[in-house]
């Protein structure tokens, strides 16, 4: 998967990308804490570069993708809702909607955390200004034993629509036939 880029220097040197792999602390969860983790952990890193601290000009702030697998997919779906003015592509792989992950999108919006109240001191854009989100890609394994792919797909479609994400970007869903929960090679290679 994505880790091959971190270990293959020849590939990484020509890739033209910066890859960040946030590691959560014990007790943290993208499902339960996604909006807060994005606001307090991911966005400060992006803000540092957005605010001109990127001395080599390597970061293209118009082309930032967010990718997450399994529980990390919940973080991606939160990012698609909360930061459509930051991320241009969102890839949520091995989504499992049976937990409290994606279902908290709408709940979070109703609790007052949304792109319209943009968390992050230096990010002043809102949904109406400067939309960058071009696509949300979700993937599911047909044989995922954690929950049925069709149920997860229905729930994610409904929740992204209710959260307003599907009004601003197309949703592309893939169900990998015969694949289980671990299907990242199908997605990332």
């Amino acid at each position: 998967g994505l880790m091959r880029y971190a270990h293959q220097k020849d590939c990484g040197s020509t890739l033209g990308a910066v890859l960040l792999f946030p590691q959560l602390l014990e007790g943290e969860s993208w499902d339960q804490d996604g909006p807060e983790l994005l606001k307090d952990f991911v966005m400060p890193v992006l803000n540092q570069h957005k605010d001109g601290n990127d001395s080599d000009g390597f970061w293209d702030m118009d082309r930032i993708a967010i990718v997450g697998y399994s529980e990390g997919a919940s973080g991606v779906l939160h990012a698609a809702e909360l930061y459509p003015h930051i991320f241009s592509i969102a890839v949520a792989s091995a989504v499992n909607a049976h937990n409290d992950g994606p279902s908290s999108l709408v709940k979070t919006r109703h609790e007052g955390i949304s792109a319209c109240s943009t968390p992050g001191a230096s990010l002043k854009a809102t949904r109406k200004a400067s939309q960058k989100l071009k696509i949300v890609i979700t993937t599911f394994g047909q044989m995922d034993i954690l929950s049925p792919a069709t149920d997860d797909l229905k729930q994610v479609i409904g929740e992204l629509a209710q959260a307003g994400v599907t009004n601003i970007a197309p949703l592309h869903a893939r169900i990998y036939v015969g694949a289980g929960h671990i299907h990242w090679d199908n997605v990332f290679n």
Side-chain angles (χ1 to χ4, degrees):
L2 291 174
M3 287 306 291
R4 72 180 179 170
Y5 297 114
H7 297 292
Q8 295 179 355
K9 293 186 188 317
D10 58 332
C11 180
S13 67
T14 60
L15 185 61
V18 175
L19 303 175
L20 301 173
F21 296 93
Q23 180 63 47
L24 300 184
L25 299 175
E26 187 173 331
E28 293 179 324
S29 162
W30 286 111
D31 291 336
Q32 298 298 320
D33 309 314
E36 292 80 16
L37 291 168
L38 285 163
K39 177 178 72 91
D40 297 333
F41 186 44
V42 175
M43 297 312 296
V45 172
L46 296 178
N47 275 334
Q48 178 181 1
H49 295 283
K50 180 180 176 60
D51 291 341
N53 296 328
D54 182 20
S55 60
D56 59 6
F58 187 73
W59 291 50
D60 181 347
M61 297 306 289
D62 290 326
R63 298 188 319 163
I64 298 179
I66 187 163
V67 177
Y69 183 82
S70 191
E71 186 182 311
S74 292
V76 168
L77 296 176
H78 286 296
E81 180 195 4
L82 298 172
Y83 301 99
H85 55 285
I86 300 297
F87 299 102
S88 58
I89 298 171
V91 181
S93 183
V95 177
N96 283 145
H98 71 283
N99 54 25
D100 290 329
S103 65
S104 61
L105 283 176
V106 175
K107 178 174 64 178
T108 299
R109 189 165 49 95
H110 290 150
E111 290 172 356
I113 302 173
S114 73
C116 294
S117 62
T118 308
S122 68
L123 294 174
K124 301 295 183 191
T126 65
R127 276 190 194 277
K128 296 177 183 175
S130 178
Q131 283 302 336
K132 292 181 183 174
L133 190 61
K134 294 179 176 72
I135 190 167
V136 177
I137 300 169
T138 58
T139 71
F140 308 85
Q142 176 205 15
M143 305 301 289
D144 195 331
I145 61 170
L146 297 178
S147 62
T150 53
D151 292 351
D152 288 337
L153 177 59
K154 287 177 190 174
Q155 186 170 343
V156 168
I157 289 171
E159 290 167 0
L160 288 177
Q162 188 174 355
V165 175
T166 56
N167 292 334
I168 59 173
L171 172 62
H172 181 100
R174 296 177 184 176
I175 297 178
Y176 288 101
V177 176
H181 187 69
I182 300 173
H183 61 269
W184 58 75
D185 280 341
N186 300 20
V187 179
F188 300 121
N189 290 323

